[in-house]
Amino acid sequence: IATEAAALVENAHLAAAEEAARRYQQELAIAASIQQRLMAVNIPEVPFAQVRGRNLSCRQIGGDFYDVIRTDSGLAVVVTDVCGKGISAALLASILQGMVYSQLTSRMLPQSIVSAVDGFLQQKTLGESYATLVLAMLRPDGELEYVNCGHVRPLLISQGKVIRPEAANLPIGLIPGAQFESACLRMAPGDRLILVTDGVTEAFNR
């Protein structure tokens, strides 16, 4: 009797675990669908530049995102990688995307935007989470102002040469009181700027 009772109890536990796993997968699928809609990028058309982008998630949801935003002064591109993976990274990435978007449309300078996002992370996550970020603003005359916060360095292809801009800052949310500085480049017709996350540089194959 004890053996049969133990088998019944074990089967009940397995059924409960299976149901919990099913609910978790269902919630994860909903979260992935919401994130995909939030992260959908409508690349604006401008007469002075062309932008192409692609985001392939390692898992159903993750902490990498990019956005392209038309502003009064030109075109802004942001690429961000929140540390970690899964739901927590995806949630923080969605919040950061909203912050960057709202501040870009409010005509804030790149340094000010990065400092505001850094302050938010410091206050809300208490240094337990951080992100790397590149924010680049291209003006119609070809001037490119960018802030690199611990992110993979961009590649500038100009006149047949490949240049890796050196200017960099600490990741956002990592150290309290960090200072951020922007740098400027001049892009000529035909130049290309390539921005990636470490999902590219750490890939195991081509």
Side-chain angles (χ1 to χ4, degrees):
I1 293 174
T3 300
E4 292 181 1
L8 290 173
V9 170
E10 184 178 1
N11 288 339
H13 286 165
L14 289 173
E18 184 177 352
E19 175 63 19
R22 187 191 65 79
R23 287 199 304 267
Y24 175 77
Q25 290 298 326
Q26 187 177 33
E27 292 176 358
L28 193 62
I30 294 172
S33 176
I34 292 174
Q35 189 193 34
Q36 287 170 4
R37 291 197 295 271
L38 287 173
M39 298 298 181
V41 179
N42 295 318
I43 297 177
E45 294 186 4
V46 294
F48 56 88
Q50 291 182 336
V51 180
R52 298 290 181 269
R54 191 178 186 189
N55 186 11
L56 296 176
S57 297
C58 177
R59 300 180 181 177
Q60 283 183 287
I61 54 179
D64 290 6
F65 76 86
Y66 79 96
D67 209 348
V68 185
I69 302 154
R70 179 75 183 267
T71 68
D72 293 339
S73 59
L75 193 67
V77 179
V78 58
V79 180
T80 302
D81 181 5
V82 177
C83 73
K85 292 179 174 62
I87 295 177
S88 59
L91 179 61
L92 191 54
S94 299
I95 294 172
L96 295 183
Q97 185 192 34
M99 287 188 66
V100 172
Y101 178 86
S102 63
Q103 292 177 75
L104 278 171
T105 55
S106 299
R107 303 180 183 180
M108 291 183 65
L109 297 174
Q111 286 175 267
S112 301
I113 294 173
V114 170
S115 295
V117 175
D118 175 72
F120 170 82
L121 283 179
Q122 295 289 349
Q123 183 179 6
K124 296 298 183 180
T125 68
L126 302 176
E128 296 178 358
S129 186
Y130 66 91
T132 65
L133 174 149
V134 171
L135 174 59
M137 299 185 69
L138 178 65
R139 297 177 176 85
D141 63 359
E143 182 182 3
L144 179 79
E145 183 179 7
Y146 72 97
V147 182
N148 184 350
C149 300
H151 202 76
V152 179
R153 283 188 295 165
L155 292 177
L156 175 63
I157 302 175
S158 178
Q159 298 179 352
K161 297 180 180 179
V162 178
I163 304 168
R164 302 202 72 169
E166 298 288 342
N169 301 271
L170 290 171
I172 53 176
L174 188 62
I175 297 178
Q179 300 295 314
F180 302 95
E181 296 182 356
S182 64
C184 291
L185 296 170
R186 175 67 63 176
M187 295 189 69
D191 287 359
R192 289 193 295 167
L193 183 72
I194 301 175
L195 304 172
V196 300
T197 68
D198 58 12
V200 173
T201 58
E202 295 178 359
F204 285 98
N205 54 37
R206 293 185 182 274

